Amino acid sequence: DAKTTQPNSMESNEEEPVHLPCNHSTISGTDYIHWYRQLPSQGPEYVIHGLTSNVNNRMASLAIAEDRKSSTLILHRATLRDAAVYYCILSRVRNSGNTPLVFGKGTRLSVIA
Amino acid sequence: NAGVTQTPKFQVLKTGQSMTLQCAQDMNHEYMSWYRQDPGMGLRLIHYSVGAGITDQGEVPNGYNVSRSTTEDFPLRLLSAAPSQTSVYFCASSNPGRKNTEAFFGQGTRLTVV
């Protein structure tokens, strides 16, 4: 299965944009790119996902490189509540059932007031 | 909506005891999964199920059993607890389909084996 690489940690000032990178150089054509985040003492929560085109939702934007070998999660205005571990995950669509989400170590985002 | 419900929230076991962690979802999701998370680590996949009657192993299946007799429930059984199984356990459910939609996670079960 394709792997992802993320920085261990990042820091941002409150109310500034945050760009969280993810490399997935071995991605295949049927791999979806998912982002989840885990707030302290909680279960992971879905942030956004995409296949080829950039995606926007109320939480964030996902920018996918044209060759799909990297992607960037964009938080437009970081708040203290966005301090969390962010996971970039690939999940493959298969006829026998999509591959389950396999988590790496993620990026720990700290937000400074 | 209740979403994904895990019980119990906390549990202390003695080495060698058995127990079942419960997971139930009310979203009619086909996929369900169990993960464990050790301190300072990411989640590791234990077992997963793509539908009732179908289960498969994840990254760290040893020491755990699962079954999926209904769509709603996916219990995780520890047959003989070991201190190495001290962890926080998360259950998740989803209906990925062709669009690979989002997974929902429970709040976790914190298990300590002494």
Side-chain angles (χ1 to χ4, degrees):
Chain A
D1 290 336
K3 301 293 184 188
T4 63
T5 303
Q6 300 177 251
N8 289 335
S9 62
M10 292 185 64
E11 200 172 79
S12 172
N13 293 320
E14 196 177 12
E15 299 191 4
E16 290 187 355
V18 182
H19 291 232
L20 296 164
C22 181
N23 288 322
H24 28 78
S25 57
T26 59
I27 192 171
S28 81
T30 57
D31 284 340
Y32 275 76
I33 303 160
H34 294 253
W35 284 83
Y36 283 77
R37 73 179 186 180
Q38 187 174 23
L39 302 173
S41 302
Q42 294 191 23
E45 65 175 350
Y46 168 82
V47 178
I48 201 167
H49 78 286
L51 183 61
T52 56
S53 303
N54 294 344
V55 184
N56 300 300
N57 66 20
R58 63 175 179 80
M59 288 183 69
S61 296
L62 176 60
I64 302 173
E66 194 169 334
D67 64 6
R68 300 210 324 128
K69 294 186 177 184
S70 65
S71 61
T72 302
L73 178 70
I74 303 166
L75 306 179
H76 296 286
R77 286 182 70 220
T79 69
L80 296 178
R81 193 193 173 278
D82 292 321
V85 179
Y86 287 78
Y87 297 97
C88 170
I89 304 166
L90 302 182
S91 179
R92 183 164 297 171
V93 174
R94 304 179 304 189
N95 290 334
S96 59
N98 299 350
T99 57
L101 300 177
V102 176
F103 287 73
K105 294 183 179 178
T107 296
R108 181 174 299 278
L109 175 67
S110 301
V111 180
I112 302 168
Chain B
N1 285 341
V4 178
T5 303
Q6 291 185 235
T7 55
K9 288 185 169 52
F10 301 93
Q11 183 70 50
V12 178
L13 287 180
K14 293 183 178 178
T15 298
Q17 284 186 317
S18 63
M19 81 159 294
T20 299
L21 279 61
Q22 302 290 344
C23 176
Q25 52 92 8
D26 61 358
M27 297 171 282
N28 202 31
H29 284 169
E30 289 296 320
Y31 277 47
M32 296 187 75
S33 308
W34 275 104
Y35 296 84
R36 62 175 286 175
Q37 185 172 35
D38 300 329
M41 306 288 288
L43 283 75
R44 290 185 291 171
L45 181 66
I46 305 172
H47 286 284
Y48 66 101
S49 169
V50 299
I54 306 169
T55 63
D56 206 346
Q57 295 182 349
E59 304 168 273
V60 288
N62 292 341
Y64 307 95
N65 281 350
V66 292
S67 60
R68 184 95 180 271
S69 56
T70 68
T71 299
E72 294 79 18
D73 301 296
F74 190 42
L76 179 72
R77 297 183 186 85
L78 283 71
L79 298 179
S80 179
S84 60
Q85 293 178 306
T86 294
S87 191
V88 180
Y89 291 83
F90 291 101
C91 178
S93 76
S94 65
N95 252 355
R98 299 300 294 177
K99 292 187 176 180
N100 229 261
T101 55
E102 66 184 280
F104 294 83
F105 287 79
Q107 288 301 301
T109 295
R110 186 174 297 274
L111 176 68
T112 302
V113 183
V114 298

